[in-house]
Amino acid sequence: MGNALILLAGGKSSRFGRDKTQLELAGRRLVPAIVDACRPFCGELFLVSNAQGKFGLPGVMELRDIYPDAGPLGGIHAGLTASQSEKNLVVACDMPFFSPELARRLLEASGGHLACVPRVGDKLQPLFAVYDRALLPRAEELLRAGRRPVRGLYEDTDTLFLDCGDWCQSGEAAPGSPFYNINYPEDFDRLL
């Protein structure tokens, strides 16, 4: 059935203080850079944000949360609802060192599992992970129950926790790591 990208770009950026989806590094906005990197191996491209038509990227379907204000799980649910693909690569939009090679590795490793979640040491990375479309009912159930942590998707299911320490020589939170994300202005300043 192929693969899909579900790019989560709907946060309120409350910790950052302004819209992170518009950030640029080296003259390129992060959102289009991640989308373009995934085009070769993701047949469906979804962008879940708080405003439809915000990006206007060719071939990308923009979605809004079905369950508003439900955090990343709400975005994953919206993406899985729209997706026709069995395997769905979920990525947060604020990861400036997104690695298409790691994304491919996760998709390949995910075969036969309902989820493939990277692990660096004892830290899991649920917002750069692969979720099977079969998890949609579970996401719906969690959201209806008011449970928002993404880990609810993969707890007690057939999940592969893939050791990705080799991708983070200086630690998962260090600039250069594919899991480095921009939460605060200082995180962005470190890159500049």
Side-chain angles (χ1 to χ4, degrees):
M1 250 191 178
N3 305 316
L5 168 68
I6 299 173
L7 185 58
L8 303 177
K12 296 179 180 176
S13 300
S14 53
R15 292 179 290 184
F16 192 73
R18 62 185 171 106
D19 186 358
K20 290 192 292 186
T21 67
Q22 302 302 318
L23 291 178
E24 279 189 25
L25 275 176
R28 185 112 200 259
R29 285 179 37 219
L30 297 182
V31 167
I34 294 172
V35 168
D36 288 346
C38 292
R39 285 184 192 277
F41 54 90
C42 289
E44 293 184 287
L45 303 165
F46 300 103
L47 198 152
V48 186
S49 77
N50 50 15
Q52 278 185 296
K54 184 176 180 179
F55 298 93
L57 299 171
V60 177
M61 181 183 289
E62 293 189 39
L63 309 170
R64 294 187 74 164
D65 290 346
I66 297 164
Y67 290 88
D69 300 319
L73 182 59
I76 293 170
H77 171 267
L80 291 177
T81 300
S83 177
Q84 296 300 305
S85 298
E86 181 182 359
K87 298 300 179 185
N88 296 271
L89 174 68
V90 169
V91 181
C93 74
D94 61 352
M95 295 180 154
F97 303 106
F98 172 78
S99 167
E101 295 81 14
L102 177 56
R104 281 190 167 109
R105 179 177 167 189
L106 293 171
L107 286 162
E108 288 168 10
S110 70
H113 301 282
L114 289 178
C116 180
V117 180
R119 183 183 66 228
V120 179
D122 61 353
K123 181 114 170 136
L124 298 175
Q125 303 295 333
L127 299 185
F128 190 155
V130 175
Y131 299 101
D132 195 289
R133 191 169 187 280
L135 287 170
L136 178 58
R138 185 176 182 97
E140 179 85 24
E141 177 187 321
L142 291 167
L143 290 165
R144 284 178 186 249
R147 292 183 55 206
R148 293 178 37 180
V150 174
R151 70 178 171 270
L153 268 183
Y154 53 81
E155 285 177 343
D156 304 320
T157 63
D158 178 16
T159 299
L160 172 65
F161 296 103
L162 188 66
D163 183 5
C164 291
D166 55 328
W167 290 84
C168 308
Q169 304 308 327
S170 55
E172 56 87 23
S177 162
F179 305 114
Y180 180 83
N181 66 333
I182 301 168
N183 288 319
Y184 299 97
E186 309 86 76
D187 299 330
F188 190 57
D189 292 344
R190 286 169 71 189
L191 302 180
L192 301 178

